[in-house]
Amino acid sequence: MRILITNDDGIHAEGLEVLERIARTLSDDIWIVAPETDQSGLAHSLTLSEPLRLRKVRDKTYALRGTPTDCVIMAIRSLMEKGPDLVLSGVNSGQNVADDVTYSGTVAGAMEGTLLGVRSIAISQAYNWADGRIVPWDVVETLAPELLRKLIGVDLPAGTLLNVNFPNCAADQVKGVVVTDQGQLTHALSIEERQDGRGFPYFWLKFGRRNFSTETNSDIKAISNGYISVTPLKLDLTNHAVQEKLAVALET
């Protein structure tokens, strides 16, 4: 099995090293094409107004000055004579659940692999912001290999990718694996205004605390309760339930 690895945290990210070690438990044929710099939050974006600069790090490992989407396209359409059997995107430093999926470059890497007809899985490791960005990488590294062996054996319909999130707890405290829905969070992004050394204003996007429903079978609920969340996502964004309602409205 040939595996392509990418991420959105960049070529130097610890999570990328963790994912390579995980991937090597599955295959010896590993390719890595990751962004030269951190591309978090860029979602499924393409670099169209600047050239893509490619740097070879070592055999089958490249850094690209571009987005995760660019990386997957570069790998499959240019670098690899034979395409991959599996795309793994991650391991992201922090969870990618609920509405955050729409912002995630990690999920976007798996989206692009899916668009190109390759089975694709996004992998993220949750952590507690209050702990000072201490990510429990041992959780995903310990538990992901066995889980991935099971997931790659599942026959998925076209246009479907898997979003896998590991909880912020010790590996031996993980309660199990739950197949979940994409949840919803209270939107808590805000704008923080600051001043530079000359007194001119500048702005940062700021995260805040967010609430989630405890009644649903959501990804955020699962990892909050110590479970690994596996969410099947599909590329078709059509709201089929509304189509008939719109058709009726347009007939009048």
Side-chain angles (χ1 to χ4, degrees):
M1 179 171 56
R2 172 167 287 188
I3 301 176
L4 169 64
I5 295 175
T6 192
N7 73 350
D8 70 353
D9 289 330
I11 191 69
H12 300 295
E14 186 173 358
L16 189 70
E17 298 177 4
V18 171
L19 187 55
E20 181 180 1
R21 292 196 293 269
I22 293 170
R24 291 197 182 280
T25 68
L26 305 174
S27 173
D28 292 327
D29 191 0
I30 308 297
W31 288 69
I32 301 173
V33 183
E36 186 75 73
T37 59
D38 191 335
Q39 301 290 299
S40 299
L42 291 186
H44 197 203
S45 58
L46 294 165
T47 302
L48 299 177
S49 300
E50 298 178 6
L52 298 175
R53 305 287 186 183
L54 186 68
R55 177 173 65 89
K56 185 173 183 178
V57 178
R58 60 180 187 274
D59 184 43
K60 297 183 180 180
T61 300
Y62 297 84
L64 183 71
R65 190 166 292 278
T67 68
T69 303
D70 297 329
C71 289
V72 174
I73 296 172
M74 175 65 73
I76 295 177
R77 295 300 194 206
S78 180
L79 293 174
M80 306 172 74
E81 293 183 5
K82 175 181 176 294
D85 303 295
L86 176 68
V87 172
L88 297 177
S89 185
V91 175
N92 191 68
S93 174
Q95 64 199 40
N96 276 305
V97 296
D99 303 320
D100 290 345
V101 166
T102 62
Y103 301 113
S104 170
T106 301
V107 174
M111 282 184 176
E112 190 59 35
T114 304
L115 280 170
L116 294 174
V118 182
R119 177 187 295 271
S120 301
I121 303 174
I123 305 173
S124 302
Q125 174 62 60
Y127 67 91
N128 190 334
W129 292 85
D131 292 340
R133 297 186 68 90
I134 299 174
V135 184
W137 296 115
D138 61 301
V139 179
V140 61
E141 187 162 358
T142 300
L143 301 177
E146 181 181 356
L147 177 60
L148 287 175
R149 289 187 187 96
K150 294 178 180 179
L151 294 179
I152 60 180
V154 177
D155 185 21
L156 297 176
T160 300
L161 61 138
L162 300 179
N163 184 33
V164 182
N165 284 269
F166 289 79
N168 177 38
C169 62
D172 60 3
Q173 294 178 345
V174 174
K175 298 176 181 178
V177 183
V178 180
V179 178
T180 57
D181 304 320
Q182 181 186 341
Q184 289 184 315
L185 289 168
T186 302
H187 192 287
L189 286 171
S190 60
I191 300 293
E192 181 175 296
E193 182 175 352
R194 302 180 184 180
Q195 288 188 336
D196 66 16
R198 295 186 295 167
F200 294 110
Y202 68 96
F203 304 88
W204 278 109
L205 275 174
K206 183 179 179 180
F207 288 97
R209 293 185 179 274
R210 294 167 291 185
N211 299 320
F212 65 92
S213 172
T214 58
E215 300 175 356
T216 61
N217 180 43
S218 69
D219 45 14
I220 180 63
K221 177 183 176 182
I223 65 169
S224 296
N225 290 330
Y227 291 89
I228 300 169
S229 167
V230 177
T231 310
L233 303 176
K234 61 178 183 176
L235 298 179
D236 180 5
L237 301 180
T238 307
N239 189 334
H240 297 281
V242 180
Q243 285 181 317
E244 185 176 349
K245 183 184 294 185
L246 288 172
V248 170
L250 294 173
E251 288 175 357
T252 60

